[in-house]
């Protein structure tokens, strides 16, 4: 049975990448930025809704995240330390924005019939795996939380690049900002760094372990990895296909219903967080687009890719998303206990 399973997985991966390549090529004709991520995402989403078996194994996706971590960490320079002193204020505004946007999105989900636990853990902007597991332990609906969390990330990825393109005249061919290959030997570190990240129990270990090592080496001016446009686009193809294929097996009617709920929640969260991004711009001097990307309610890996591809200070963006993710993972158990106590009190009153 094992060879058949492996063969089925390989065929599903080949199908996902082929569909993604068609989607990427078609979307590139429109001139939109990040065509090789958004096109594969949309193409795989559409075919998966029709029941086509498209899959990107988690191990393969982890390797691509590792490459992204090396590219991202290589953006660190010795001058970065001078700017870190300005970041505590923006981190405080980030955390306030996370609380406000989560409350607003949770209120929307409650109006749409979610129970309290599912609403709050669906609305939390990050740490997806932790939110699904904690929400399930507290009596929430894990499938509903998983789908809405995944849709949130997908919707943010779909909304932001066209928004930046329309408002800020982003170069439509800037799918990769690095012109040539540099220090490719750093890729040989991945077989060590990926298991090391899991052993250290880092959040998103496939991304963060390579990022931290590359940041150290780049900050000391020892080595830095850059990829040519073809390498960046291949990485974007895999990541976009992985996200689109995530909804395999979900009925079209249910996905449409969740899509509408998730779209409104994502827009509400983005609206709230844009106010805090403007505060960061005014008080800290961070450009508006960088501040918005740092606060956007997406995944750290995906928004780091956006930052690299759009050349929007990826280290600042990744740092703030890491802080948000760690804060959510730390606060989730305490908030879960509060929700449970509230549920117990309501049962007694009934």
């Amino acid at each position: 049975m094992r060879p058949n399973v492996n063969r089925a997985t390989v065929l599903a991966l080949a199908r996902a990448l082929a569909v993604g390549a068609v989607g990427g090529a078609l979307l590139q004709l429109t001139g939109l930025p990040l065509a090789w991520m958004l096109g594969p995402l949309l193409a795989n989403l559409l075919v998966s809704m029709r029941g086509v078996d498209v899959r990107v194994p988690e191990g393969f996706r982890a390797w691509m995240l590792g490459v992204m971590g090396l590219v991202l960490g290589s953006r660190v320079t010795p001058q970065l330390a001078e700017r870190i002193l300005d970041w505590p204020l923006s981190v405080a505004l980030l955390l306030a924005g996370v609380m406000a946007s989560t409350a607003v999105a949770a209120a929307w989900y409650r109006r749409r019939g979610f129970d309290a636990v599912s609403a709050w853990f669906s609305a939390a902007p990050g740490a997806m795996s932790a939110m699904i597991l904690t929400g399930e332990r507290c009596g929430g609906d894990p499938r509903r939380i998983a789908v809405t969390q995944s849709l949130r990330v997908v919707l943010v990825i779909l909304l932001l690049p066209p928004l930046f393109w329309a408002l800020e005249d982003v170069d439509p061919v800037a799918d990769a900002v690095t012109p040539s290959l540099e220090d490719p030997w750093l890729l040989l570190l991945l077989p060590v760094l990926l298991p090391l990240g899991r052993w250290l129990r880092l959040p998103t270990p496939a991304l963060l372990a390579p990022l931290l090592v590359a940041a150290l080496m780049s900050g000391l001016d020892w080595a830095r990895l850059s990829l040519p446009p073809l390498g960046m686009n291949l990485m974007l193809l895999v990541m976009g296909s992985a996200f689109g294929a995530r909804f395999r097996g979900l009925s079209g009617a249910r996905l449409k219903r969740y899509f509408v709920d998730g779209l409104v929640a994502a827009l509400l969260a983005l609206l709230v967080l844009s106010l805090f991004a403007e505060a960061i711009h005014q008080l800290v001097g961070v450009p508006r687009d960088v501040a918005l990307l740092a606060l956007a309610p997406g995944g750290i890996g995906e928004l780091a890719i956006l930052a690299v591809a759009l050349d929007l200070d990826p280290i600042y963006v990744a740092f703030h998303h890491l802080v948000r993710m760690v804060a959510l993972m730390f606060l989730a158990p305490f908030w879960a206990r509060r929700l449970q106590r509230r549920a117990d009190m309501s049962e007694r009153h009934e």
Side-chain angles (χ1 to χ4, degrees):
M1 291 295 291
R2 185 63 179 273
N4 292 334
V5 171
N6 288 339
R7 182 173 182 273
T9 301
V10 170
L11 287 174
L13 171 61
R15 209 175 289 121
L17 296 180
V19 168
V22 173
L26 290 176
L27 199 64
Q28 192 170 37
L29 298 176
T30 68
L32 281 171
L34 280 178
W36 284 100
M37 184 171 183
L38 302 183
L41 191 160
L42 287 171
N44 275 280
L45 177 62
L46 290 174
V47 301
S48 66
M49 285 176 59
R50 292 185 171 274
V52 178
D53 185 10
V54 286
R55 277 177 277 165
V56 175
E58 187 56 34
F60 187 37
R61 178 177 175 271
W63 277 87
M64 292 300 105
L65 273 179
V67 176
M68 172 51 63
L70 291 175
V71 171
L72 188 60
S74 296
R75 296 303 188 91
V76 171
T77 63
Q79 293 75 29
L80 183 66
E82 300 174 5
R83 299 170 47 221
I84 291 179
L85 295 176
D86 295 330
W87 291 1
L89 177 57
S90 64
V91 165
L93 289 168
L94 160 74
L95 296 177
V98 165
M99 290 187 288
S101 65
T102 301
V104 170
W108 163 252
Y109 281 132
R110 289 288 283 155
R111 287 181 60 87
R112 298 296 294 171
F114 283 45
D115 63 90
V117 173
S118 297
W120 278 98
F121 284 95
S122 295
M128 183 188 304
S129 298
M131 297 304 104
I132 296 169
L133 292 174
T134 308
E136 183 178 14
R137 284 199 299 267
C138 297
D141 182 344
R143 183 176 177 85
R144 177 175 275 187
I145 296 171
V147 171
T148 50
Q149 282 280 348
S150 298
L151 275 173
R152 170 183 54 79
V153 177
V154 167
L155 288 166
V156 169
I157 295 170
L158 290 174
L159 290 170
L160 288 183
L163 179 64
F164 287 148
W165 182 50
L167 298 180
E168 307 208 12
D169 195 26
V170 173
D171 182 1
V173 299
D175 276 356
V177 296
T178 48
S180 60
L181 187 65
E182 183 180 359
D183 290 333
W185 61 266
L186 286 171
L187 295 170
L188 299 176
L189 300 177
L190 288 178
V192 175
L193 295 176
L194 296 185
L196 177 63
R198 292 191 295 269
W199 182 71
L200 293 174
R201 297 188 178 181
L202 294 174
T204 317
L207 177 76
L208 289 181
L211 188 156
L212 293 172
V213 171
L216 176 63
M217 300 184 76
S218 180
L220 295 173
D221 207 20
W222 290 347
R224 52 181 54 90
L225 175 68
S226 65
L227 297 177
L230 177 61
M232 287 293 294
N233 288 339
L234 285 174
M235 183 167 55
L236 295 176
L237 166 64
V238 174
M239 298 299 294
S241 299
F243 262 96
R246 180 175 290 183
F247 300 97
R248 180 175 59 93
L250 193 65
S251 69
R254 179 171 292 186
L255 182 58
K256 289 175 185 176
R257 185 170 71 250
Y258 285 158
F259 185 88
V260 173
D261 292 346
L263 178 61
V264 174
L267 289 172
L268 288 172
L270 278 171
L271 178 61
V272 172
L273 289 167
S274 67
L275 301 176
F276 287 87
E278 179 63 23
I280 290 176
H281 169 67
Q282 296 293 336
L283 297 174
V284 185
V286 175
R288 285 189 178 92
D289 49 5
V290 176
L292 179 58
L293 201 56
L295 268 64
I300 181 172
E302 293 69 38
L303 289 172
I305 291 173
L306 288 183
V308 170
L310 300 176
D311 201 17
L312 294 177
D313 200 346
I315 296 301
Y316 179 89
V317 171
F319 174 79
H320 283 69
H321 282 285
L322 175 61
V323 169
R324 181 196 63 189
M325 186 164 52
V326 171
L328 284 171
M329 292 172 68
F330 175 76
L331 293 173
F334 297 100
W335 187 248
R337 283 198 288 271
R338 186 172 185 272
L339 289 175
Q340 284 180 319
R341 285 198 300 268
R342 185 185 297 178
D344 292 342
M345 289 177 62
S346 64
E347 287 180 3
R348 290 196 203 99
H349 287 306
E350 290 176 3

